[in-house]
């Protein structure tokens, strides 16, 4: 009966989460490239630990980064987890500087056990975000300095990942898992070139695509006990790369500014325009009794072997999909959680309340390449620090389920080199971005869910 109730609740949750999920958690010129800016896809339990996840295994968390962790859930727990973020970003490009604030729903997930050693999870996560709008400085035309040209760039969209996964404990030390996902979304980019002379035609060029495809990720976790209280957990995961059969479109529109009419439109379409990368992740976590958990992860995504639409740089102007447009992404992260066992009073001690303090750091080479000429040796990079706190919600009506609330703060710095080729002498410039991100995660379990349903 409990399994049936959990399945019904999971279906209702999935339908609700899909309908309310929001994106555009960024406002960055860097989201102009590739599928947009990738999210870290971390959950409330590991945002304060810079996303470390591969070796984390606990019945009170939902860890889609490694589906083998799903088997850790016990028979009395069915978790419902969702999170939101508030973000302030500062962007600098040459002499331009801008601040932007964004809010987003980060994730929503549901997790329950079907039978001993078998756990199921489903949810929705952001995969990429696109949101930007900026203008270039006016410049004089070569041979006619009385006329200036200017460029305006805008884009929006992004991809979502809806997943359903299962984790199985084959034996005490070894668990395996798999996530099946549906990746969906779209992107739209436009570039408008205008002239100060009203009799000159403006040029609008747009790029767009609708994405809908599948993803499969496999996970493994191996637990090695040191003694009765301490242990290591080794985690591995692999994401299957494949071709995406969706089409990419480009159009060019000539616009008569004087008469406000479209003089002509041409377009190109590429079939089977995309590929998703093979992804390899590995990590280890050390558990020191019930006081300290620390871990480290490494992730590699082989984007350089994936084709992506690009205007041919050999001068022919062909619109085609080719490999080498994107960079291999790698990320190194480390973090942990310390439980000081602070009990402010006898009631807190009886309820088993514990304050968890989180910390983490990471370094990453992103996949999106802002240099479409291939002449720059420098590659984009970013790094960041994070901290957080976890504690149960104190409520005498909810003490049996002990719902958790997670607060985290992240500081992230990005440096993106690009070639400013819209000037007489192309030069190397840098887009620098600094983010301060505040996140809140809420986790409820099955006891809370059914009690509220009865009321």
């Amino acid at each position: 009966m409990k399994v049936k109730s959990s399945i019904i609740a999971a279906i209702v949750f999935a339908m609700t989460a899909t309908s309310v999920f929001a994106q555009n958690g960024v406002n960055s010129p860097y989201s102009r490239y590739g599928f947009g800016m990738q999210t870290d896809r971390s959950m409330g339990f590991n945002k304060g630990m810079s996303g470390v996840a591969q070796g984390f295994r606990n019945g009170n968390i939902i860890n889609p980064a490694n589906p083998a962790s799903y088997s850790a859930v016990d028979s009395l727990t069915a978790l419902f987890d969702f999170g939101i973020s508030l973000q302030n970003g500062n962007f600098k490009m040459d002499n331009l500087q801008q601040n932007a604030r964004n809010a987003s729903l980060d994730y929503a997930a549901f997790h329950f056990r079907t039978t001993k050693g078998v756990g199921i999870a489903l949810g929705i996560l952001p995969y990429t975000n696109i949101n930007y709008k900026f203008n270039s400085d006016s410049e004089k035309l070569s041979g006619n300095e009385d006329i200036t040209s200017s460029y305006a760039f805008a884009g929006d969209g992004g991809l979502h990942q809806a997943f359903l996964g299962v984790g199985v404990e084959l034996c005490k030390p070894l668990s395996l898992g798999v996530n099946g996902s549906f990746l969906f979304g779209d992107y739209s980019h436009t570039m408008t070139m205008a002239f100060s002379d009203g009799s000159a035609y403006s040029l609008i060029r747009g790029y767009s695509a609708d994405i809908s495809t599948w993803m499969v990720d496999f996970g493994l976790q191996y637990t090695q006990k040191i003694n009765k209280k301490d242990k290591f957990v080794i985690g591995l995961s692999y994401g299957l790369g494949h071709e995406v059969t969706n089409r990419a479109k480009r159009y060019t529109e000539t616009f008569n500014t004087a008469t406000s009419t479209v003089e002509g439109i041409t377009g190109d379409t590429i079939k089977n325009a995309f590929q998703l990368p093979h992804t390899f992740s590995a990590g280890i976590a050390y558990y020191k009794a019930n006081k300290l958990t620390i871990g480290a992860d490494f992730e590699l995504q082989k984007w350089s072997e994936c084709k992506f639409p690009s205007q041919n740089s050999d001068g022919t102007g062909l619109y085609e999909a080719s490999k080498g447009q994107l960079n291999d992404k790698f990320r190194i992260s480390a973090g942990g959680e310390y439980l000081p066992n602070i009990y402010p009073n006898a009631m807190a001690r009886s309820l088993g309340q514990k304050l968890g303090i989180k910390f983490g750091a990471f370094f990453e080479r992103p996949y999106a390449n802002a240099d479409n000429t291939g002449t720059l040796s420098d590659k984009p990079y970013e790094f960041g620090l994070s901290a957080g706190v976890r504690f149960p919600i104190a409520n005498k009506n909810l003490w049996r389920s002990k719902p958790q609330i997670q607060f985290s703060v992240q500081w992230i710095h990005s440096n993106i080199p690009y070639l400013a080729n819209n000037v007489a002498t192309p030069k190397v410039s840098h887009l620098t971005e600094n983010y301060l991100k505040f996140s809140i995660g809420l986790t409820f379990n099955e006891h809370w869910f059914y009690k509220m349903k009865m009321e």
Side-chain angles (χ1 to χ4, degrees), residues 127 159-162 181-185 211-215 246 276:
Y127 190 77
L159 303 181
H160 310 291
Q161 179 187 0
S181 303
F182 177 57
L183 188 69
F184 64 98
I211 307 298
S212 57
T213 188
W214 54 271
M215 298 173 66
N246 299 129
L276 293 179

Side-chain angles (χ1 to χ4, degrees), residues 44-367:
F45 83 92
N46 62 346
K47 280 189 181 294
M49 299 185 289
S50 292
V52 177
Q54 289 299 316
F56 279 72
R57 178 177 178 81
N58 189 312
N60 294 318
I61 65 173
I62 305 177
N63 182 11
N66 191 328
S69 65
Y70 300 155
S71 62
V73 67
D74 61 51
S75 60
L76 298 178
T77 303
L79 300 173
F80 173 44
D81 195 2
F82 68 95
I84 58 174
S85 288
L86 302 174
Q87 176 178 280
N88 183 75
N90 175 264
F91 314 100
K92 295 181 180 179
M93 181 189 299
D94 292 333
N95 296 323
L96 302 177
Q97 181 170 318
Q98 180 180 348
N99 292 318
R101 293 181 175 87
N102 299 91
S104 63
L105 173 62
D106 286 344
Y107 63 88
F110 190 80
H111 186 200
F112 61 94
R113 194 185 86 159
T114 59
T115 187
K116 184 177 181 180
V118 179
I120 290 178
L122 64 119
I124 186 166
L125 300 165
Y127 190 77
T128 62
N129 284 321
I130 301 172
N131 186 29
Y132 65 91
K133 183 180 291 186
F134 63 95
N135 301 317
S136 69
D137 293 334
S138 299
E139 59 186 60
K140 295 180 180 180
L141 290 183
S142 177
N144 192 345
E145 296 187 353
D146 293 333
I147 301 177
T148 59
S149 63
S150 61
Y151 295 83
F153 303 88
D156 61 68
L159 303 181
H160 310 291
Q161 179 187 0
F163 70 91
L164 173 63
V166 59
V168 180
E169 187 179 73
L170 299 181
C171 55
K172 278 295 181 182
L174 182 64
S175 294
L176 300 177
V178 60
N179 276 334
S181 303
F182 177 57
L183 188 69
F184 64 98
D186 56 33
Y187 69 74
S188 175
H189 305 281
T190 59
M191 184 275 291
T192 303
M193 181 174 65
F195 299 94
S196 59
D197 186 349
S199 62
Y201 289 177
S202 298
L203 184 69
I204 302 173
R205 175 159 287 178
Y207 302 85
S208 64
D210 292 309
I211 307 298
S212 57
T213 188
W214 54 271
M215 298 173 66
V216 177
D217 300 278
F218 303 94
L220 175 150
Q221 286 187 329
Y222 181 82
T223 303
Q224 178 61 58
K225 289 189 175 181
I226 303 173
N227 50 51
K228 291 183 178 180
K229 294 184 177 181
D230 305 335
K231 64 182 178 181
F232 283 100
V233 178
I234 298 172
L236 302 172
S237 64
Y238 166 69
L240 181 64
H242 63 90
E243 186 173 272
V244 178
T245 59
N246 299 129
R247 299 183 178 188
K249 300 177 181 179
R250 179 184 72 170
Y251 72 89
T252 303
E253 178 180 304
T254 305
F255 186 79
N256 189 327
T257 307
T259 61
S260 299
T261 57
V262 176
E263 297 295 332
I265 298 178
T266 60
D268 304 280
T269 300
I270 305 173
K271 297 180 179 179
N272 304 326
F274 310 96
Q275 284 180 303
L276 293 179
H278 296 282
T279 300
F280 307 89
S281 301
I284 187 170
Y286 170 64
Y287 291 78
K288 178 65 175 176
N290 295 320
K291 296 283 292 182
L292 176 68
T293 305
I294 56 175
D297 281 2
F298 173 80
E299 181 184 33
L300 173 64
Q301 297 181 358
K302 298 292 290 181
W303 284 99
S304 65
E305 300 176 358
C306 298
K307 61 183 180 180
F308 196 85
S310 175
Q311 182 172 337
N312 197 318
S313 60
D314 62 6
T316 62
L318 294 176
Y319 186 51
E320 59 184 9
S322 59
K323 296 182 179 181
Q325 305 297 321
L326 304 171
N327 300 319
D328 286 342
K329 171 190 172 179
F330 76 85
R331 178 184 174 100
I332 300 173
S333 53
E337 181 181 36
Y338 175 65
L339 303 178
N341 291 332
I342 298 174
Y343 298 106
N345 51 52
M347 178 181 178
R349 187 180 298 110
S350 67
L351 296 179
Q353 291 189 352
K354 296 180 180 180
L355 176 71
I357 301 172
K358 302 172 187 287
F359 50 89
F362 79 94
F363 176 84
E364 179 179 311
R365 290 281 191 184
Y367 84 107

